[in-house]
Amino acid sequence: MFKPIFALAASALALASACAYGAPAQGPILIKFAHVVADNTPKGQGALLFKKLVEERLGGKVIVEVYPNSTLFGDANELEALIKNEVQLLAPSLAKFENYTNKLQVFDLPFLFDDLDAVNRFQKRAKGRQLLRSMEDHNIVGLAYWHNGMKQLSATKALQSPADANGLKFRIQPSTVLDAQFKQLGATPIVMPFAEVFDALKDGTVQGAENPWSNIHSKQLHTVQPYITETNHGVLDYMLVSNSRFWYTIPHLIRTELEGIIDTVTYEVNRQAEAANQADRERIAAASGTQVIVLSEEQRDAWRKAMQPVWQQYEGAIGADVIKAAQTVNRNQRD
Ligand code: SIN
């Protein structure tokens, strides 16, 4: 006798939850995709391609709105907004998830990955894929890894050896690993949202930063940084994330189509990221006012030795198994 009432209540609850999480009974599902970089970057292009393919394949059922350049949410509040379902897709740098998991700190360890191909191999292996699920307790689901590129060090003075960074202030992303990395050099790391980096470099609040070529060029950081040392000392990649309650409330057929679109976009972003970074490197090298410093193997080894002690500090938090799995993807194995 209570069954119909219970069933009615249950379906009302499911409907309320579906509506609250973006799958209304009628009308299209709205996906707001916010990010902090420009359109002409690997992530910016990925967001636009996602929107285009959704329009082509799911027109009328799903609407995508893309907000680049921190115009909807920025570093300080985007993940909280995702958890509150005020935005449905983000692709923060892997350095920005520290409040939700320690496992992703592996990507910030300096000189862990030899190059972007090694990063790619790690992300495709079982350990890398497991990390996409490492924030489920916070209702954050990882949908894909997107590449940007390897980071370079820029400054107001020429950074040839680690000692040259001593005493300088560097902008960092909100990552204690990156904080420790710069402290190893005797430098002062300052956490700052990406949207503020250009002004902070221009007005001298900080004297240096670490960025991939595409972020340097798209934000014109090289115009306020006379020296860029090609260190390739770490990676700046992204995790495409959604609110898991929102994501799993999307009707199955639509979600499957969205996941197929994400696979296509991920393939394109990751196929083009390295070339896009190299093209931006050439543009910067050709621009007057910025010197690109290329290190010898010996010089690069000195940077590695100066920064690498950070690994030990974070082994407990990240897990020795995760670090080991990441190390094995390099073609040149070293201890
Ligand atoms: C980004 O590429 O999303 C920004 C990374 C940063 O904050 O440096």
Side-chain angles (χ1 to χ4, degrees):
M1 168 182 177
F2 290 110
K3 245 184 173 176
I5 295 173
F6 179 77
L8 263 177
S11 52
L13 208 72
L15 188 66
S17 155
C19 292
Y21 281 93
Q26 291 169 349
I29 298 165
L30 175 62
I31 297 182
K32 294 184 186 173
F33 186 163
H35 65 82
V36 302
V37 291
D39 285 335
N40 61 337
T41 57
K43 178 163 61 179
Q45 291 292 297
L48 292 176
L49 179 60
F50 176 75
K51 178 179 166 63
K52 178 173 173 281
L53 295 182
V54 169
E55 274 165 13
E56 283 170 16
R57 297 187 202 167
L58 286 167
K61 293 188 184 134
V62 180
I63 294 175
V64 177
E65 294 175 357
V66 176
Y67 297 89
N69 290 313
S70 312
T71 45
L72 185 62
F73 295 105
D75 285 338
N77 54 6
E78 63 180 9
L79 279 160
E80 281 165 31
L82 185 85
I83 289 167
K84 290 189 209 150
N85 199 36
E86 292 166 0
V87 61
Q88 289 71 38
L89 271 187
L90 300 172
S93 149
L94 294 164
K96 293 180 183 168
F97 291 105
E98 218 171 69
N99 287 342
Y100 307 98
T101 177
N102 289 118
K103 301 270 170 215
L104 293 173
Q105 290 175 322
V106 69
F107 289 101
D108 286 342
L109 293 179
F111 291 99
L112 177 58
F113 299 104
D114 281 353
D115 50 31
L116 208 54
D117 284 344
V119 176
N120 197 45
R121 285 193 288 277
F122 176 65
Q123 290 173 348
K124 288 197 161 140
R125 288 190 185 171
K127 272 278 182 249
R129 300 221 44 92
Q130 275 167 23
L131 300 184
L132 292 169
R133 307 264 157 209
S134 58
M135 296 177 285
E136 280 181 338
D137 289 353
H138 297 276
N139 267 325
I140 298 174
V141 56
L143 300 170
Y145 289 108
W146 283 5
H147 294 325
N148 186 335
M150 302 303 282
K151 292 180 291 185
Q152 321 302 336
L153 282 178
S154 65
T156 47
K157 65 184 267 200
L159 303 177
Q160 303 274 4
S161 77
D164 296 328
N166 188 32
L168 297 185
K169 290 186 189 141
F170 284 84
R171 176 269 171 172
I172 59 163
Q173 303 177 75
S175 153
T176 53
V177 178
L178 300 179
D179 182 88
Q181 169 193 282
F182 280 103
K183 285 184 175 153
Q184 280 295 126
L185 305 173
T188 304
I190 299 190
V191 173
M192 189 180 290
F194 186 64
E196 293 171 22
V197 178
F198 179 86
D199 287 344
L201 289 170
K202 188 167 183 213
D203 70 19
T205 305
V206 290
Q207 291 85 47
E210 52 166 14
N211 284 286
W213 295 111
S214 86
N215 282 6
I216 297 172
H217 188 260
S218 59
K219 290 291 174 192
Q220 297 288 290
L221 303 183
H222 57 293
T223 63
V224 287
Q225 293 278 264
Y227 300 98
I228 304 178
T229 306
E230 191 168 31
T231 47
N232 289 312
H233 64 280
V235 64
L236 196 155
D237 262 15
Y238 306 112
M239 191 183 285
L240 183 70
V241 288
S242 187
N243 175 314
S244 44
R245 274 193 262 163
F246 164 77
W247 194 253
Y248 293 112
T249 314
I250 297 175
H252 181 72
L253 282 179
I254 296 182
R255 183 157 35 90
T256 305
E257 188 70 55
L258 285 171
E259 285 166 356
I261 291 171
I262 288 172
D263 285 349
T264 306
V265 176
T266 300
Y267 176 78
E268 279 308 314
V269 169
N270 291 352
R271 190 174 68 83
Q272 295 179 26
E274 177 69 16
N277 269 282
Q278 287 312 314
D280 282 337
R281 182 202 184 281
E282 296 318 310
R283 289 184 189 104
I284 292 166
S288 60
T290 310
Q291 188 189 335
V292 174
I293 299 168
V294 179
L295 299 174
S296 67
E297 256 320 299
E298 266 181 1
Q299 283 176 312
R300 196 161 174 269
D301 267 350
W303 286 93
R304 183 199 315 279
K305 284 200 182 85
M307 290 179 168
Q308 208 164 11
V310 168
W311 291 23
Q312 269 192 338
Q313 291 174 43
Y314 284 88
E315 191 176 290
I318 297 169
D321 57 325
V322 178
I323 298 179
K324 186 82 201 149
Q327 269 181 293
T328 58
V329 296
N330 289 319
R331 297 257 187 248
N332 292 324
Q333 297 295 316
R334 66 176 81 75
D335 294 326

